[in-house]
């Protein structure tokens, strides 16, 4: 085993983590500072919150938590963990489930997949249409790596949730 000491700013961590992961490095990340201020209780299930916080790169965790919390708090979404050995959160519309999740939240891969046809990504700044198999309704992907993408993410989430409710 090789031990290395690295000093990096928070802005440098995402690139460092990506570089280490590409080379197959196994590592754990521990932060030494934490923002001061009052902690507000999350509206999320503790397991969902833990997955978002531990699976997203440190610099993206707050963005993912913010997205899912707003979907739950403002739009009544139901946030559930994926199956047993997964790293994602599924967002459903409240009430009876006529269709699958309207959004798959993948903090480990830094993106959201929406249950929308590829055309929904036209004119988007962040979202793109994916080439998926005919039986995969989640054709729109949005990398959630900047807070600037949140308005577009919520707009697409509203569209996907409305289509799920209408199904």
């Amino acid at each position: 085993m090789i031990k290395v000491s690295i000093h990096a700013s928070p802005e440098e961590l995402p690139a460092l983590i990506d570089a280490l992961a590409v080379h197959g490095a196994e590592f754990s990340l521990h932060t030494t500072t934490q923002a001061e201020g009052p902690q507000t209780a999350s509206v999320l299930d503790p397991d969902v919150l833990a997955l978002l916080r531990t699976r997203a790169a440190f610099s993206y965790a707050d963005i993912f938590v913010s997205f899912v919390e707003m979907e739950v708090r403002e739009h009544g979404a139901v946030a559930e963990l994926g199956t047993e050995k997964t790293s994602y959160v599924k967002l459903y519309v409240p009430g009876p489930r006529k269709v699958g999740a309207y959004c798959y939240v993948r903090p480990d891969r830094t993106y959201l997949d929406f249950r929308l046809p590829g055309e929904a990504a036209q004119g988007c700044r962040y979202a793109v249409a994916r080439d998926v198999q005919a039986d995969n309704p989640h054709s729109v992907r949005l990398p959630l790596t900047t807070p600037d993408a949140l308005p577009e993410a919520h707009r697409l989430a509203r569209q996907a949730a409305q289509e799920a409710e209408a199904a």
Side-chain angles (χ1 to χ4, degrees):
M1 176 186 344
I2 299 172
K3 289 189 176 189
V4 177
S5 176
I6 298 172
H7 299 275
S9 69
E11 296 80 27
E12 297 169 315
L13 285 176
L16 176 62
I17 290 168
D18 289 344
L20 290 170
V22 164
H23 293 286
E26 293 184 26
F27 57 92
S28 60
L29 178 64
H30 305 277
T31 60
T32 57
T33 61
Q34 195 151 49
E36 295 295 320
Q39 294 288 333
T40 57
S42 176
V43 295
L44 302 179
D45 175 274
D47 291 335
V48 169
L49 184 60
L51 183 136
L52 295 171
R53 291 258 178 235
T54 59
R55 293 303 205 161
F58 177 75
S59 58
Y60 304 139
D62 287 342
I63 302 170
F64 277 90
V65 170
S66 172
F67 173 77
V68 176
E69 280 185 335
M70 185 167 184
E71 286 300 306
V72 170
R73 185 176 42 256
E74 302 292 323
H75 304 292
V78 176
E80 292 182 358
L81 293 178
T83 55
E84 207 171 284
K85 295 180 181 178
T86 60
S87 297
Y88 62 90
V89 173
K90 301 179 286 187
L91 296 178
Y92 294 96
V93 295
R97 293 188 183 154
K98 301 176 207 166
V99 296
Y102 70 85
C103 180
Y104 280 84
V105 179
R106 294 298 308 249
D108 60 329
R109 297 185 182 168
T110 67
Y111 61 72
L112 308 171
D113 281 338
F114 295 99
R115 185 183 194 90
L116 290 169
E119 300 82 46
Q122 290 177 347
C124 288
R125 181 174 175 197
Y126 299 98
V128 296
R130 300 186 319 136
D131 185 20
V132 296
Q133 294 179 357
D135 63 342
N136 183 348
H138 295 83
S139 299
V140 176
R141 177 168 289 168
L142 185 141
L144 193 56
T145 57
T146 174
D148 294 341
L150 282 169
E152 188 171 294
H154 287 297
R155 182 180 60 75
L156 291 169
R158 290 301 82 231
Q159 185 178 345
Q162 288 170 352
E163 288 188 19
E165 287 174 329

